[in-house]
Amino acid sequence: QVRLVESGGGSVQAGGSLRLSCAASEYIDSRYCMGWFRQAPGKEREGVAAINPNMGSTYYADSVQGRFTISQDNAKNTLYLQMNSLKPEDTDMYYCALRMLSYTYGCTAPLRWSEYNYWGQGTQVTVSE
């Protein structure tokens, strides 16, 4: 059973930056899709960014395009989310996710939370004015 552990969240002023990390407990084949999601209490989980390293493909929500960058270091079994030009509306709990299925690879709907079957516990990001 793969475990995902996020870190790097915190409090920052608007316009600032944070880098989130997601460490996997074992090697993750680069053919599997990984993503970052965020969720506020009482709201649906929202896809932020996803990556299919084997295909060299990245996907971003319109709200973060140009400000956030997803990347993966397979040697360290770690997924990253570099967040720049942060806004108060980026305040949320951020989760990393892995789509690792026995019968298929890749991303089908990269920003849809129901596509993923492994989740971390989340890390809080708070952006103040």
Side-chain angles (χ1 to χ4, degrees):
Q1 187 84 353
V2 177
R3 289 185 294 109
L4 304 174
V5 180
E6 301 95 334
S7 61
S11 297
V12 64
Q13 288 190 319
S17 298
L18 285 173
R19 188 176 80 155
L20 305 184
S21 299
C22 172
S25 58
E26 61 187 65
Y27 171 75
I28 303 299
D29 192 307
S30 62
R31 290 173 291 182
Y32 291 119
C33 190
M34 295 195 73
W36 286 97
F37 291 76
R38 62 188 183 187
Q39 187 173 24
K43 293 189 176 181
E44 187 170 345
R45 193 162 292 191
E46 174 192 17
V48 175
I51 186 168
N52 185 341
N54 192 54
M55 299 297 292
S57 302
T58 55
Y59 312 86
Y60 296 96
D62 290 342
S63 58
V64 307
Q65 181 76 46
R67 300 188 297 123
F68 291 10
T69 303
I70 188 170
S71 62
Q72 187 172 10
D73 186 337
N74 281 343
K76 296 182 179 179
N77 299 333
T78 302
L79 181 72
Y80 300 100
L81 184 68
Q82 178 67 45
M83 305 187 296
N84 299 328
S85 302
L86 282 162
K87 304 175 181 179
E89 51 263 44
D90 294 319
T91 295
D92 262 325
M93 184 72 79
Y94 283 71
Y95 300 88
C96 73
L98 166 67
R99 184 174 188 265
M100 188 168 73
L101 302 172
S102 60
Y103 52 87
T104 189
Y105 296 104
C107 304
T108 53
L111 300 182
R112 184 186 302 165
W113 67 266
S114 59
E115 292 289 307
Y116 295 80
N117 56 332
Y118 289 94
W119 292 88
Q121 84 291 345
T123 186
Q124 178 67 38
V125 171
T126 302
V127 185
S128 59
E129 293 281 1

